[in-house]
């Protein structure tokens, strides 16, 4: 069987998409849900107490927390990601992967090349936009647009399901 070739430019938009997919579906998914639940419960409890006893100066913390959580958090996180991308060595470099049944060869234009076997892949998460290929906590982003053809996307999904320790399909095909 021939190798599956994947190639794309590691642009700021790809980086932001990969980070969003990772935080939404990847390793931190359950931790994020717990944090959202706890913060939501704290805000709800504070508002409930304000309705019961009236507004007190200490209740302003609930407003500050709610304002941060619902308005500023996403903007600050995006700014942090952009800053991280701008200082990255991979910024605006071509990322290429050759994927076979035995081996994955990854190359970053002008920087590095490395091979790893499928047994080092702990998890593959399929999303609507691409795949997150995990090796421990580190991941490689494979956008659907980087595959040469749509059938290559399906071929990679089938290969990942067979070879990875864990395959999770979060796409809405």
């Amino acid at each position: 069987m021939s190798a599956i070739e994947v190639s794309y430019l590691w642009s700021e938009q790809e980086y932001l998409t990969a980070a969003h997919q990772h935080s939404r579906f990847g390793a931190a998914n359950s931790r994020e849900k717990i944090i959202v639940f706890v913060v939501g419960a704290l805000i709800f409890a504070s508002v409930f107490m304000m309705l019961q006893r009236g507004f007190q100066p200490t209740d302003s913390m609930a407003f500050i927390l709610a304002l941060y959580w619902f308005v500023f958090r996403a903007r600050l996180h995006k700014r942090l990601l952009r800053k991280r991308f701008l200082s990255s060595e991979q910024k605006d470099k071509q990322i290429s992967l050759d994927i076979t049944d035995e081996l994955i060869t990854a190359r970053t234009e002008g920087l590095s090349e490395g091979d790893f076997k499928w047994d080092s892949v702990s998890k593959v998460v399929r999303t609507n936009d691409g795949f997150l290929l995990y090796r421990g906590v580190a991941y490689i982003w494979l956008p659907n647009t980087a595959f040469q053809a749509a059938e290559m996307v399906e071929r990679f999904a089938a290969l990942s399901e067979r070879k990875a320790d864990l395959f999770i399909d979060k796409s809405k095909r």
Side-chain angles (χ1 to χ4, degrees), residues 111-150:
L111 291 178
S112 63
E113 182 172 331
D115 297 330
F116 56 94
K117 294 184 179 187
W118 275 100
D119 61 4
S120 70
V121 176
S122 56
K123 176 170 68 170
V124 175
V125 179
R126 182 179 190 173
T127 72
N128 288 334
D129 299 321
F131 297 87
L132 294 161
L133 187 101
Y134 286 90
R135 296 180 63 211
V137 294
Y139 67 91
I140 297 173
W141 172 241
L142 302 171
N144 289 335
T145 57
F147 290 86
Q148 294 176 340

Side-chain angles (χ1 to χ4, degrees), residues 42-57:
L42 287 171
I43 292 170
F44 178 76
S46 296
V47 170
F48 180 75
M49 288 181 356
M50 276 191 290
L51 293 173
Q52 294 296 319
R53 60 172 165 58
F55 182 79
Q56 309 248 328

Side-chain angles (χ1 to χ4, degrees), residues 53-123:
R53 60 172 165 58
F55 182 79
Q56 309 248 328
T58 56
D59 295 329
S60 61
M61 285 307 294
F63 285 117
I64 292 170
L65 180 60
L67 187 67
Y68 164 75
W69 191 259
F70 292 112
V71 177
F72 296 115
R73 183 176 66 103
R75 290 181 187 159
L76 291 173
H77 184 66
K78 199 170 191 176
R79 178 186 279 171
L80 173 71
L81 289 174
R82 280 193 171 121
K83 186 176 178 181
R84 195 178 294 164
F85 173 78
L86 291 173
S87 65
S88 169
E89 288 182 350
Q90 294 178 328
K91 178 180 111 178
D92 298 325
K93 301 283 185 184
Q94 195 69 24
I95 307 287
S96 303
L97 291 98
D98 293 322
I99 304 160
T100 65
D101 279 347
E102 297 82 32
L103 199 64
I104 299 169
T105 302
R107 289 180 302 284
T108 302
E109 173 190 358
L111 291 178
S112 63
E113 182 172 331
D115 297 330
F116 56 94
K117 294 184 179 187
W118 275 100
D119 61 4
S120 70
V121 176
S122 56
K123 176 170 68 170

